[in-house]
Amino acid sequence: MAPVDAAMIHDITGPLAVRVFREMGGERVYDPERIIMLFDHQVPADSIPAAENHVFMRQFAEEQGIYNYDLIEGVCHQVVMEKGRAAPGEIIVGTDSHTCTYGAAGAFATGIGSTDMGFVLKFGALYFRVPESILVEVEGAFGKRVGAKDLILSLAGDIGADGATYMALEFTGDAMHDMNMAGRMTCANMAIEMGAKAGIVAPDAATWDYVTARRDIEPFTLEGDADAVYAGRRHYDVTDLAPQVAVPHNVDNVVDVTKVAGTKVDQVFIGSCTNGRYEDLAEAAEVLGNADRFADGVRVIVIPASRTEYLKALRGGLIERFVEAGALVEAPCCGPCMGGAFGLLAPGEVSLSTSNRNFRGRQGSAQASVYLSSPATAAASALYGEITDPREV
Amino acid sequence: MRVWKFGDDIDTDAIIPGRFLTIYDPAELSKHAFEGTRDEFAKEVRDGDVVVAGSNFGCGSSREHAPLALLGAGVKVVVAKSFARIFYRNAVNTGLLPLISAGTDSIRDGDAVTVNIAGGYIDVNGERLPVEPVPGFMKEIVDAGGLVAYAKDLDEVKTCSTE
């Protein structure tokens, strides 16, 4: 068993974790200050059962003295990062598969189920198998309108949906360390799409700038041992990388955007824990430029990943541009990516999304199709109503 | 006991779609198992049936509703070439037995199957296929009947140092 530094629970998987905690005989959680609670999947409540879940979780937070960010702060992984709840060297678990996002802060962070979480709530520890690591070395400089999402999609295509099962992906190389925190979060976030237990970027100056701005902590050195043994090593150069698109219905089904350019889209979703940060919205707005409107017949849904990111985009004039161009800008939440709240697809419809999964039925009907891309590709495609290479706009 | 055969990369959105995640009761969840991707499953599955799949079964979301939906349907064993990590843990924790076998390609949908857990094999089509046991510490959880039962007898846990 290993001690857990922080544990994140949200509105979908949290209620089951609390039930399990009680079934295990739990009365008081191990440390309320190490538990992070918030609601993001069905926000604001989209059904009476969702509202009941929120009430149930609020009561638990109050009873246990857990600080509850409730539904106003945004998507769990963005909130954990921006509130400084993740730091290098920590062990963090969350009842959400994309908990691996905090690897961008140099934490060992992994998604778990509700029964595991019930155990963590009670004991503050969990059983783990120490993962082997794959070293992913990334060199070069991204071309115009190509970035972190294109890199991680190309990795998913190369490594495959189960190519890193039970392993940790350790991202390194000049291109990773040149990348801002938003990009690193995009990469770490999608480690799970290759089956990985964690995706970690060794902390550097940028990591410590980000973490120390949010938490009183003294920087220290944390890096892979010089003689570390890796289960595999992969080398990538992003210099000539084209914008990437994952085509239905698997995340590792990845092609250059040119292969699917011209595919008509009914909906474009820009947001999620993968790509809902200010930098992502700015990337989309840059492609939008001074265009009057997105293409007729395309529903464009923009959802900033958090209240903080929303305010940055609002003050930066991005939200105004999106609304002028005809986008629906929603309050921070998981939105269509959760496939049950809103923004669902009808049979036969096609969505292009900056989120992380294109599984059959992920965004509504199992007869709909979901493509995944970067915010730049999503914005370009929203402008033309079909999948479009952002370098051509 | 019949086989319900699935392919590779069966994700937890397929096992139980996102719109049913406010349900926690296994029997209720089972009514929506594979809804939209294999509608006949929920209607025809019988107690004791076995799900057999290719590689990476249960990839995607950490939703524990997925093993619960299978348990609610009466499925107690899933045999696959490999499992996604979170699903594997969730299955063991909730009492659904995930067995790894390299030989699932030859198993067809509707085949009659017998699972011998103690013996470490399954019999299907007159063929005996070995299955890998659940490893090390997880076996204790399986033997206890899941993590809840395992945890009930614990007052505290010993942790290793991360220093």
Side-chain angles (χ1 to χ4, degrees), chain A residues 1 23 53 110-111 113-116 127 357 362, chain B residues 13 22 24 60-61 64 85 89-90 93 137 152 160:
Chain A
M1 299 273 178
E23 281 176 36
N53 277 345
T110 194
S114 297
T115 297
D116 268 340
Y127 70 96
R357 289 194 176 128
R362 176 74 178 183
Chain B
D13 277 83
T22 52
Y24 300 104
S61 162
E64 205 159 281
R85 184 189 71 84
R89 291 181 68 110
N90 287 349
N93 288 343
F137 167 72
K152 269 185 181 164
C160 55

mmCIF file with all atom_site columns, all heavy atoms in Angstrom, chain A residues 1 23 53 110-111 113-116 127 357 362, chain B residues 13 22 24 60-61 64 85 89-90 93 137 152 160:
data_model
loop_
_atom_site.group_PDB
_atom_site.id
_atom_site.type_symbol
_atom_site.label_atom_id
_atom_site.label_alt_id
_atom_site.label_comp_id
_atom_site.label_asym_id
_atom_site.label_entity_id
_atom_site.label_seq_id
_atom_site.pdbx_PDB_ins_code
_atom_site.Cartn_x
_atom_site.Cartn_y
_atom_site.Cartn_z
_atom_site.occupancy
_atom_site.B_iso_or_equiv
_atom_site.pdbx_formal_charge
_atom_site.auth_seq_id
_atom_site.auth_comp_id
_atom_site.auth_asym_id
_atom_site.auth_atom_id
_atom_site.pdbx_PDB_model_num
ATOM 1   N N   . MET A 1 1   ? 0.849   -1.201 0.000   1.00 0.00 ? 1   MET A N   1
ATOM 2   C CA  . MET A 1 1   ? 0.000   0.000  0.000   1.00 0.00 ? 1   MET A CA  1
ATOM 3   C C   . MET A 1 1   ? 0.885   1.253  0.000   1.00 0.00 ? 1   MET A C   1
ATOM 4   O O   . MET A 1 1   ? 1.931   1.278  0.647   1.00 0.00 ? 1   MET A O   1
ATOM 5   C CB  . MET A 1 1   ? -0.863  0.036  1.265   1.00 0.00 ? 1   MET A CB  1
ATOM 6   C CG  . MET A 1 1   ? -1.807  -1.147 1.389   1.00 0.00 ? 1   MET A CG  1
ATOM 7   S SD  . MET A 1 1   ? -3.372  -0.857 0.559   1.00 0.00 ? 1   MET A SD  1
ATOM 8   C CE  . MET A 1 1   ? -4.165  -2.449 0.851   1.00 0.00 ? 1   MET A CE  1
ATOM 9   N N   . GLU A 1 23  ? -20.015 1.461  3.260   1.00 0.00 ? 23  GLU A N   1
ATOM 10  C CA  . GLU A 1 23  ? -20.109 -0.011 3.313   1.00 0.00 ? 23  GLU A CA  1
ATOM 11  C C   . GLU A 1 23  ? -18.873 -0.618 3.956   1.00 0.00 ? 23  GLU A C   1
ATOM 12  O O   . GLU A 1 23  ? -18.944 -1.689 4.571   1.00 0.00 ? 23  GLU A O   1
ATOM 13  C CB  . GLU A 1 23  ? -20.259 -0.591 1.892   1.00 0.00 ? 23  GLU A CB  1
ATOM 14  C CG  . GLU A 1 23  ? -21.650 -0.488 1.311   1.00 0.00 ? 23  GLU A CG  1
ATOM 15  C CD  . GLU A 1 23  ? -21.668 -0.988 -0.129  1.00 0.00 ? 23  GLU A CD  1
ATOM 16  O OE1 . GLU A 1 23  ? -20.947 -1.943 -0.447  1.00 0.00 ? 23  GLU A OE1 1
ATOM 17  O OE2 . GLU A 1 23  ? -22.398 -0.389 -0.945  1.00 0.00 ? 23  GLU A OE2 1
ATOM 18  N N   . ASN A 1 53  ? -27.577 13.816 -6.717  1.00 0.00 ? 53  ASN A N   1
ATOM 19  C CA  . ASN A 1 53  ? -26.163 13.497 -6.497  1.00 0.00 ? 53  ASN A CA  1
ATOM 20  C C   . ASN A 1 53  ? -25.428 14.694 -5.906  1.00 0.00 ? 53  ASN A C   1
ATOM 21  O O   . ASN A 1 53  ? -24.605 14.555 -5.000  1.00 0.00 ? 53  ASN A O   1
ATOM 22  C CB  . ASN A 1 53  ? -25.485 13.104 -7.816  1.00 0.00 ? 53  ASN A CB  1
ATOM 23  C CG  . ASN A 1 53  ? -25.713 11.649 -8.161  1.00 0.00 ? 53  ASN A CG  1
ATOM 24  O OD1 . ASN A 1 53  ? -26.129 10.858 -7.337  1.00 0.00 ? 53  ASN A OD1 1
ATOM 25  N ND2 . ASN A 1 53  ? -25.437 11.302 -9.407  1.00 0.00 ? 53  ASN A ND2 1
ATOM 26  N N   . THR A 1 110 ? -3.153  9.168  -11.028 1.00 0.00 ? 110 THR A N   1
ATOM 27  C CA  . THR A 1 110 ? -3.805  8.127  -11.818 1.00 0.00 ? 110 THR A CA  1
ATOM 28  C C   . THR A 1 110 ? -5.290  8.005  -11.481 1.00 0.00 ? 110 THR A C   1
ATOM 29  O O   . THR A 1 110 ? -5.710  8.292  -10.362 1.00 0.00 ? 110 THR A O   1
ATOM 30  C CB  . THR A 1 110 ? -3.071  6.782  -11.616 1.00 0.00 ? 110 THR A CB  1
ATOM 31  O OG1 . THR A 1 110 ? -3.499  5.862  -12.623 1.00 0.00 ? 110 THR A OG1 1
ATOM 32  C CG2 . THR A 1 110 ? -3.316  6.195  -10.241 1.00 0.00 ? 110 THR A CG2 1
ATOM 33  N N   . GLY A 1 111 ? -6.048  7.580  -12.471 1.00 0.00 ? 111 GLY A N   1
ATOM 34  C CA  . GLY A 1 111 ? -7.482  7.407  -12.299 1.00 0.00 ? 111 GLY A CA  1
ATOM 35  C C   . GLY A 1 111 ? -7.806  6.081  -11.635 1.00 0.00 ? 111 GLY A C   1
ATOM 36  O O   . GLY A 1 111 ? -7.143  5.071  -11.903 1.00 0.00 ? 111 GLY A O   1
ATOM 37  N N   . GLY A 1 113 ? -11.263 3.644  -9.712  1.00 0.00 ? 113 GLY A N   1
ATOM 38  C CA  . GLY A 1 113 ? -12.699 3.468  -9.626  1.00 0.00 ? 113 GLY A CA  1
ATOM 39  C C   . GLY A 1 113 ? -13.231 3.894  -8.258  1.00 0.00 ? 113 GLY A C   1
ATOM 40  O O   . GLY A 1 113 ? -12.468 4.268  -7.359  1.00 0.00 ? 113 GLY A O   1
ATOM 41  N N   . SER A 1 114 ? -14.545 3.783  -8.113  1.00 0.00 ? 114 SER A N   1
ATOM 42  C CA  . SER A 1 114 ? -15.177 4.272  -6.885  1.00 0.00 ? 114 SER A CA  1
ATOM 43  C C   . SER A 1 114 ? -14.886 3.393  -5.678  1.00 0.00 ? 114 SER A C   1
ATOM 44  O O   . SER A 1 114 ? -14.807 3.899  -4.555  1.00 0.00 ? 114 SER A O   1
ATOM 45  C CB  . SER A 1 114 ? -16.686 4.376  -7.102  1.00 0.00 ? 114 SER A CB  1
ATOM 46  O OG  . SER A 1 114 ? -16.963 5.326  -8.109  1.00 0.00 ? 114 SER A OG  1
ATOM 47  N N   . THR A 1 115 ? -14.732 2.093  -5.885  1.00 0.00 ? 115 THR A N   1
ATOM 48  C CA  . THR A 1 115 ? -14.439 1.216  -4.743  1.00 0.00 ? 115 THR A CA  1
ATOM 49  C C   . THR A 1 115 ? -13.023 1.473  -4.231  1.00 0.00 ? 115 THR A C   1
ATOM 50  O O   . THR A 1 115 ? -12.798 1.570  -3.017  1.00 0.00 ? 115 THR A O   1
ATOM 51  C CB  . THR A 1 115 ? -14.645 -0.256 -5.127  1.00 0.00 ? 115 THR A CB  1
ATOM 52  O OG1 . THR A 1 115 ? -16.028 -0.433 -5.466  1.00 0.00 ? 115 THR A OG1 1
ATOM 53  C CG2 . THR A 1 115 ? -14.301 -1.193 -3.982  1.00 0.00 ? 115 THR A CG2 1
ATOM 54  N N   . ASP A 1 116 ? -12.073 1.618  -5.166  1.00 0.00 ? 116 ASP A N   1
ATOM 55  C CA  . ASP A 1 116 ? -10.726 2.039  -4.763  1.00 0.00 ? 116 ASP A CA  1
ATOM 56  C C   . ASP A 1 116 ? -10.812 3.341  -3.965  1.00 0.00 ? 116 ASP A C   1
ATOM 57  O O   . ASP A 1 116 ? -10.121 3.515  -2.955  1.00 0.00 ? 116 ASP A O   1
ATOM 58  C CB  . ASP A 1 116 ? -9.850  2.268  -6.005  1.00 0.00 ? 116 ASP A CB  1
ATOM 59  C CG  . ASP A 1 116 ? -9.063  1.022  -6.425  1.00 0.00 ? 116 ASP A CG  1
ATOM 60  O OD1 . ASP A 1 116 ? -8.890  0.111  -5.583  1.00 0.00 ? 116 ASP A OD1 1
ATOM 61  O OD2 . ASP A 1 116 ? -8.613  0.972  -7.582  1.00 0.00 ? 116 ASP A OD2 1
ATOM 62  N N   . TYR A 1 127 ? -3.553  0.178  -2.735  1.00 0.00 ? 127 TYR A N   1
ATOM 63  C CA  . TYR A 1 127 ? -2.595  -0.766 -3.307  1.00 0.00 ? 127 TYR A CA  1
ATOM 64  C C   . TYR A 1 127 ? -2.268  -0.361 -4.746  1.00 0.00 ? 127 TYR A C   1
ATOM 65  O O   . TYR A 1 127 ? -3.149  0.059  -5.483  1.00 0.00 ? 127 TYR A O   1
ATOM 66  C CB  . TYR A 1 127 ? -3.115  -2.208 -3.233  1.00 0.00 ? 127 TYR A CB  1
ATOM 67  C CG  . TYR A 1 127 ? -4.271  -2.576 -4.139  1.00 0.00 ? 127 TYR A CG  1
ATOM 68  C CD1 . TYR A 1 127 ? -4.048  -3.184 -5.373  1.00 0.00 ? 127 TYR A CD1 1
ATOM 69  C CD2 . TYR A 1 127 ? -5.597  -2.357 -3.764  1.00 0.00 ? 127 TYR A CD2 1
ATOM 70  C CE1 . TYR A 1 127 ? -5.100  -3.558 -6.199  1.00 0.00 ? 127 TYR A CE1 1
ATOM 71  C CE2 . TYR A 1 127 ? -6.654  -2.720 -4.581  1.00 0.00 ? 127 TYR A CE2 1
ATOM 72  C CZ  . TYR A 1 127 ? -6.404  -3.316 -5.802  1.00 0.00 ? 127 TYR A CZ  1
ATOM 73  O OH  . TYR A 1 127 ? -7.439  -3.676 -6.621  1.00 0.00 ? 127 TYR A OH  1
ATOM 74  N N   . ARG A 1 357 ? -11.944 11.615 -26.323 1.00 0.00 ? 357 ARG A N   1
ATOM 75  C CA  . ARG A 1 357 ? -12.441 10.292 -26.710 1.00 0.00 ? 357 ARG A CA  1
ATOM 76  C C   . ARG A 1 357 ? -13.452 10.388 -27.832 1.00 0.00 ? 357 ARG A C   1
ATOM 77  O O   . ARG A 1 357 ? -14.342 11.238 -27.796 1.00 0.00 ? 357 ARG A O   1
ATOM 78  C CB  . ARG A 1 357 ? -13.077 9.576  -25.506 1.00 0.00 ? 357 ARG A CB  1
ATOM 79  C CG  . ARG A 1 357 ? -12.033 9.163  -24.522 1.00 0.00 ? 357 ARG A CG  1
ATOM 80  C CD  . ARG A 1 357 ? -12.525 8.169  -23.489 1.00 0.00 ? 357 ARG A CD  1
ATOM 81  N NE  . ARG A 1 357 ? -11.377 7.812  -22.683 1.00 0.00 ? 357 ARG A NE  1
ATOM 82  C CZ  . ARG A 1 357 ? -11.338 7.866  -21.354 1.00 0.00 ? 357 ARG A CZ  1
ATOM 83  N NH1 . ARG A 1 357 ? -12.395 8.219  -20.673 1.00 0.00 ? 357 ARG A NH1 1
ATOM 84  N NH2 . ARG A 1 357 ? -10.243 7.545  -20.722 1.00 0.00 ? 357 ARG A NH2 1
ATOM 85  N N   . ARG A 1 362 ? -20.008 8.138  -27.481 1.00 0.00 ? 362 ARG A N   1
ATOM 86  C CA  . ARG A 1 362 ? -19.408 8.993  -26.453 1.00 0.00 ? 362 ARG A CA  1
ATOM 87  C C   . ARG A 1 362 ? -20.125 10.334 -26.330 1.00 0.00 ? 362 ARG A C   1
ATOM 88  O O   . ARG A 1 362 ? -20.183 10.930 -25.264 1.00 0.00 ? 362 ARG A O   1
ATOM 89  C CB  . ARG A 1 362 ? -17.938 9.218  -26.792 1.00 0.00 ? 362 ARG A CB  1
ATOM 90  C CG  . ARG A 1 362 ? -17.198 10.173 -25.872 1.00 0.00 ? 362 ARG A CG  1
ATOM 91  C CD  . ARG A 1 362 ? -16.895 9.557  -24.527 1.00 0.00 ? 362 ARG A CD  1
ATOM 92  N NE  . ARG A 1 362 ? -16.145 10.479 -23.675 1.00 0.00 ? 362 ARG A NE  1
ATOM 93  C CZ  . ARG A 1 362 ? -15.704 10.170 -22.462 1.00 0.00 ? 362 ARG A CZ  1
ATOM 94  N NH1 . ARG A 1 362 ? -15.934 8.988  -21.957 1.00 0.00 ? 362 ARG A NH1 1
ATOM 95  N NH2 . ARG A 1 362 ? -15.050 11.038 -21.738 1.00 0.00 ? 362 ARG A NH2 1
ATOM 96  N N   . ASP B 2 13  ? -17.644 3.241  -22.239 1.00 0.00 ? 13  ASP B N   1
ATOM 97  C CA  . ASP B 2 13  ? -18.810 3.956  -22.780 1.00 0.00 ? 13  ASP B CA  1
ATOM 98  C C   . ASP B 2 13  ? -19.735 2.971  -23.494 1.00 0.00 ? 13  ASP B C   1
ATOM 99  O O   . ASP B 2 13  ? -20.949 3.146  -23.500 1.00 0.00 ? 13  ASP B O   1
ATOM 100 C CB  . ASP B 2 13  ? -18.378 5.041  -23.765 1.00 0.00 ? 13  ASP B CB  1
ATOM 101 C CG  . ASP B 2 13  ? -17.973 6.329  -23.080 1.00 0.00 ? 13  ASP B CG  1
ATOM 102 O OD1 . ASP B 2 13  ? -16.814 6.419  -22.646 1.00 0.00 ? 13  ASP B OD1 1
ATOM 103 O OD2 . ASP B 2 13  ? -18.814 7.222  -22.964 1.00 0.00 ? 13  ASP B OD2 1
ATOM 104 N N   . THR B 2 22  ? -26.106 8.159  -13.559 1.00 0.00 ? 22  THR B N   1
ATOM 105 C CA  . THR B 2 22  ? -26.738 8.520  -12.284 1.00 0.00 ? 22  THR B CA  1
ATOM 106 C C   . THR B 2 22  ? -27.387 7.291  -11.642 1.00 0.00 ? 22  THR B C   1
ATOM 107 O O   . THR B 2 22  ? -27.955 7.376  -10.563 1.00 0.00 ? 22  THR B O   1
ATOM 108 C CB  . THR B 2 22  ? -27.812 9.624  -12.459 1.00 0.00 ? 22  THR B CB  1
ATOM 109 O OG1 . THR B 2 22  ? -28.708 9.205  -13.485 1.00 0.00 ? 22  THR B OG1 1
ATOM 110 C CG2 . THR B 2 22  ? -27.176 10.947 -12.838 1.00 0.00 ? 22  THR B CG2 1
ATOM 111 N N   . TYR B 2 24  ? -26.932 3.641  -9.890  1.00 0.00 ? 24  TYR B N   1
ATOM 112 C CA  . TYR B 2 24  ? -25.883 2.903  -9.175  1.00 0.00 ? 24  TYR B CA  1
ATOM 113 C C   . TYR B 2 24  ? -26.263 1.457  -8.887  1.00 0.00 ? 24  TYR B C   1
ATOM 114 O O   . TYR B 2 24  ? -25.427 0.655  -8.527  1.00 0.00 ? 24  TYR B O   1
ATOM 115 C CB  . TYR B 2 24  ? -25.520 3.627  -7.869  1.00 0.00 ? 24  TYR B CB  1
ATOM 116 C CG  . TYR B 2 24  ? -25.020 5.026  -8.114  1.00 0.00 ? 24  TYR B CG  1
ATOM 117 C CD1 . TYR B 2 24  ? -25.832 6.136  -7.865  1.00 0.00 ? 24  TYR B CD1 1
ATOM 118 C CD2 . TYR B 2 24  ? -23.757 5.235  -8.666  1.00 0.00 ? 24  TYR B CD2 1
ATOM 119 C CE1 . TYR B 2 24  ? -25.376 7.417  -8.141  1.00 0.00 ? 24  TYR B CE1 1
ATOM 120 C CE2 . TYR B 2 24  ? -23.288 6.503  -8.946  1.00 0.00 ? 24  TYR B CE2 1
ATOM 121 C CZ  . TYR B 2 24  ? -24.113 7.597  -8.674  1.00 0.00 ? 24  TYR B CZ  1
ATOM 122 O OH  . TYR B 2 24  ? -23.660 8.861  -8.961  1.00 0.00 ? 24  TYR B OH  1
ATOM 123 N N   . GLY B 2 60  ? -10.878 3.220  -21.416 1.00 0.00 ? 60  GLY B N   1
ATOM 124 C CA  . GLY B 2 60  ? -11.607 4.483  -21.316 1.00 0.00 ? 60  GLY B CA  1
ATOM 125 C C   . GLY B 2 60  ? -11.915 4.887  -19.894 1.00 0.00 ? 60  GLY B C   1
ATOM 126 O O   . GLY B 2 60  ? -11.086 4.740  -18.995 1.00 0.00 ? 60  GLY B O   1
ATOM 127 N N   . SER B 2 61  ? -13.122 5.364  -19.723 1.00 0.00 ? 61  SER B N   1
ATOM 128 C CA  . SER B 2 61  ? -13.575 5.966  -18.467 1.00 0.00 ? 61  SER B CA  1
ATOM 129 C C   . SER B 2 61  ? -13.397 5.041  -17.260 1.00 0.00 ? 61  SER B C   1
ATOM 130 O O   . SER B 2 61  ? -13.513 3.825  -17.374 1.00 0.00 ? 61  SER B O   1
ATOM 131 C CB  . SER B 2 61  ? -15.051 6.332  -18.621 1.00 0.00 ? 61  SER B CB  1
ATOM 132 O OG  . SER B 2 61  ? -15.673 6.530  -17.379 1.00 0.00 ? 61  SER B OG  1
ATOM 133 N N   . GLU B 2 64  ? -17.128 2.844  -12.577 1.00 0.00 ? 64  GLU B N   1
ATOM 134 C CA  . GLU B 2 64  ? -17.301 1.516  -12.005 1.00 0.00 ? 64  GLU B CA  1
ATOM 135 C C   . GLU B 2 64  ? -18.671 0.947  -12.363 1.00 0.00 ? 64  GLU B C   1
ATOM 136 O O   . GLU B 2 64  ? -18.950 -0.236 -12.147 1.00 0.00 ? 64  GLU B O   1
ATOM 137 C CB  . GLU B 2 64  ? -17.151 1.616  -10.487 1.00 0.00 ? 64  GLU B CB  1
ATOM 138 C CG  . GLU B 2 64  ? -16.727 0.337  -9.842  1.00 0.00 ? 64  GLU B CG  1
ATOM 139 C CD  . GLU B 2 64  ? -16.108 0.598  -8.483  1.00 0.00 ? 64  GLU B CD  1
ATOM 140 O OE1 . GLU B 2 64  ? -14.935 0.994  -8.441  1.00 0.00 ? 64  GLU B OE1 1
ATOM 141 O OE2 . GLU B 2 64  ? -16.815 0.439  -7.480  1.00 0.00 ? 64  GLU B OE2 1
ATOM 142 N N   . ARG B 2 85  ? -6.303  -1.053 -17.522 1.00 0.00 ? 85  ARG B N   1
ATOM 143 C CA  . ARG B 2 85  ? -5.893  -1.072 -16.124 1.00 0.00 ? 85  ARG B CA  1
ATOM 144 C C   . ARG B 2 85  ? -7.024  -0.759 -15.139 1.00 0.00 ? 85  ARG B C   1
ATOM 145 O O   . ARG B 2 85  ? -7.227  -1.485 -14.172 1.00 0.00 ? 85  ARG B O   1
ATOM 146 C CB  . ARG B 2 85  ? -4.769  -0.047 -15.911 1.00 0.00 ? 85  ARG B CB  1
ATOM 147 C CG  . ARG B 2 85  ? -4.191  -0.037 -14.519 1.00 0.00 ? 85  ARG B CG  1
ATOM 148 C CD  . ARG B 2 85  ? -3.250  1.124  -14.335 1.00 0.00 ? 85  ARG B CD  1
ATOM 149 N NE  . ARG B 2 85  ? -3.933  2.396  -14.282 1.00 0.00 ? 85  ARG B NE  1
ATOM 150 C CZ  . ARG B 2 85  ? -4.475  2.894  -13.186 1.00 0.00 ? 85  ARG B CZ  1
ATOM 151 N NH1 . ARG B 2 85  ? -4.411  2.256  -12.051 1.00 0.00 ? 85  ARG B NH1 1
ATOM 152 N NH2 . ARG B 2 85  ? -5.095  4.061  -13.217 1.00 0.00 ? 85  ARG B NH2 1
ATOM 153 N N   . ARG B 2 89  ? -8.854  -3.336 -12.237 1.00 0.00 ? 89  ARG B N   1
ATOM 154 C CA  . ARG B 2 89  ? -8.935  -3.096 -10.783 1.00 0.00 ? 89  ARG B CA  1
ATOM 155 C C   . ARG B 2 89  ? -10.397 -3.033 -10.331 1.00 0.00 ? 89  ARG B C   1
ATOM 156 O O   . ARG B 2 89  ? -10.768 -3.610 -9.300  1.00 0.00 ? 89  ARG B O   1
ATOM 157 C CB  . ARG B 2 89  ? -8.261  -1.777 -10.418 1.00 0.00 ? 89  ARG B CB  1
ATOM 158 C CG  . ARG B 2 89  ? -6.772  -1.766 -10.567 1.00 0.00 ? 89  ARG B CG  1
ATOM 159 C CD  . ARG B 2 89  ? -6.236  -0.405 -10.150 1.00 0.00 ? 89  ARG B CD  1
ATOM 160 N NE  . ARG B 2 89  ? -6.392  -0.172 -8.719  1.00 0.00 ? 89  ARG B NE  1
ATOM 161 C CZ  . ARG B 2 89  ? -5.371  -0.126 -7.856  1.00 0.00 ? 89  ARG B CZ  1
ATOM 162 N NH1 . ARG B 2 89  ? -4.139  -0.269 -8.271  1.00 0.00 ? 89  ARG B NH1 1
ATOM 163 N NH2 . ARG B 2 89  ? -5.607  0.095  -6.571  1.00 0.00 ? 89  ARG B NH2 1
ATOM 164 N N   . ASN B 2 90  ? -11.209 -2.295 -11.093 1.00 0.00 ? 90  ASN B N   1
ATOM 165 C CA  . ASN B 2 90  ? -12.613 -2.144 -10.714 1.00 0.00 ? 90  ASN B CA  1
ATOM 166 C C   . ASN B 2 90  ? -13.316 -3.497 -10.673 1.00 0.00 ? 90  ASN B C   1
ATOM 167 O O   . ASN B 2 90  ? -14.161 -3.749 -9.801  1.00 0.00 ? 90  ASN B O   1
ATOM 168 C CB  . ASN B 2 90  ? -13.340 -1.227 -11.693 1.00 0.00 ? 90  ASN B CB  1
ATOM 169 C CG  . ASN B 2 90  ? -12.949 0.239  -11.530 1.00 0.00 ? 90  ASN B CG  1
ATOM 170 O OD1 . ASN B 2 90  ? -12.284 0.600  -10.560 1.00 0.00 ? 90  ASN B OD1 1
ATOM 171 N ND2 . ASN B 2 90  ? -13.362 1.061  -12.464 1.00 0.00 ? 90  ASN B ND2 1
ATOM 172 N N   . ASN B 2 93  ? -12.151 -5.383 -7.606  1.00 0.00 ? 93  ASN B N   1
ATOM 173 C CA  . ASN B 2 93  ? -12.675 -4.723 -6.405  1.00 0.00 ? 93  ASN B CA  1
ATOM 174 C C   . ASN B 2 93  ? -14.155 -4.986 -6.177  1.00 0.00 ? 93  ASN B C   1
ATOM 175 O O   . ASN B 2 93  ? -14.623 -5.026 -5.047  1.00 0.00 ? 93  ASN B O   1
ATOM 176 C CB  . ASN B 2 93  ? -12.445 -3.211 -6.489  1.00 0.00 ? 93  ASN B CB  1
ATOM 177 C CG  . ASN B 2 93  ? -10.985 -2.832 -6.303  1.00 0.00 ? 93  ASN B CG  1
ATOM 178 O OD1 . ASN B 2 93  ? -10.187 -3.622 -5.818  1.00 0.00 ? 93  ASN B OD1 1
ATOM 179 N ND2 . ASN B 2 93  ? -10.636 -1.614 -6.687  1.00 0.00 ? 93  ASN B ND2 1
ATOM 180 N N   . PHE B 2 137 ? -1.282  -9.891 -4.641  1.00 0.00 ? 137 PHE B N   1
ATOM 181 C CA  . PHE B 2 137 ? -2.133  -9.305 -3.622  1.00 0.00 ? 137 PHE B CA  1
ATOM 182 C C   . PHE B 2 137 ? -3.604  -9.257 -4.031  1.00 0.00 ? 137 PHE B C   1
ATOM 183 O O   . PHE B 2 137 ? -4.505  -9.410 -3.195  1.00 0.00 ? 137 PHE B O   1
ATOM 184 C CB  . PHE B 2 137 ? -1.635  -7.890 -3.309  1.00 0.00 ? 137 PHE B CB  1
ATOM 185 C CG  . PHE B 2 137 ? -2.596  -7.077 -2.523  1.00 0.00 ? 137 PHE B CG  1
ATOM 186 C CD1 . PHE B 2 137 ? -2.815  -7.358 -1.182  1.00 0.00 ? 137 PHE B CD1 1
ATOM 187 C CD2 . PHE B 2 137 ? -3.310  -6.043 -3.111  1.00 0.00 ? 137 PHE B CD2 1
ATOM 188 C CE1 . PHE B 2 137 ? -3.725  -6.611 -0.442  1.00 0.00 ? 137 PHE B CE1 1
ATOM 189 C CE2 . PHE B 2 137 ? -4.219  -5.306 -2.387  1.00 0.00 ? 137 PHE B CE2 1
ATOM 190 C CZ  . PHE B 2 137 ? -4.428  -5.579 -1.052  1.00 0.00 ? 137 PHE B CZ  1
ATOM 191 N N   . LYS B 2 152 ? -13.437 -4.394 5.261   1.00 0.00 ? 152 LYS B N   1
ATOM 192 C CA  . LYS B 2 152 ? -14.255 -4.420 6.480   1.00 0.00 ? 152 LYS B CA  1
ATOM 193 C C   . LYS B 2 152 ? -13.474 -4.962 7.672   1.00 0.00 ? 152 LYS B C   1
ATOM 194 O O   . LYS B 2 152 ? -13.710 -4.558 8.815   1.00 0.00 ? 152 LYS B O   1
ATOM 195 C CB  . LYS B 2 152 ? -15.501 -5.279 6.246   1.00 0.00 ? 152 LYS B CB  1
ATOM 196 C CG  . LYS B 2 152 ? -16.675 -4.468 5.732   1.00 0.00 ? 152 LYS B CG  1
ATOM 197 C CD  . LYS B 2 152 ? -17.903 -5.337 5.642   1.00 0.00 ? 152 LYS B CD  1
ATOM 198 C CE  . LYS B 2 152 ? -19.076 -4.536 5.107   1.00 0.00 ? 152 LYS B CE  1
ATOM 199 N NZ  . LYS B 2 152 ? -20.157 -5.409 4.650   1.00 0.00 ? 152 LYS B NZ  1
ATOM 200 N N   . CYS B 2 160 ? 3.970   1.643  2.550   1.00 0.00 ? 160 CYS B N   1
ATOM 201 C CA  . CYS B 2 160 ? 5.393   1.724  2.292   1.00 0.00 ? 160 CYS B CA  1
ATOM 202 C C   . CYS B 2 160 ? 5.772   3.196  2.251   1.00 0.00 ? 160 CYS B C   1
ATOM 203 O O   . CYS B 2 160 ? 4.923   4.068  2.062   1.00 0.00 ? 160 CYS B O   1
ATOM 204 C CB  . CYS B 2 160 ? 5.725   1.056  0.957   1.00 0.00 ? 160 CYS B CB  1
ATOM 205 S SG  . CYS B 2 160 ? 4.791   1.714  -0.403  1.00 0.00 ? 160 CYS B SG  1
#
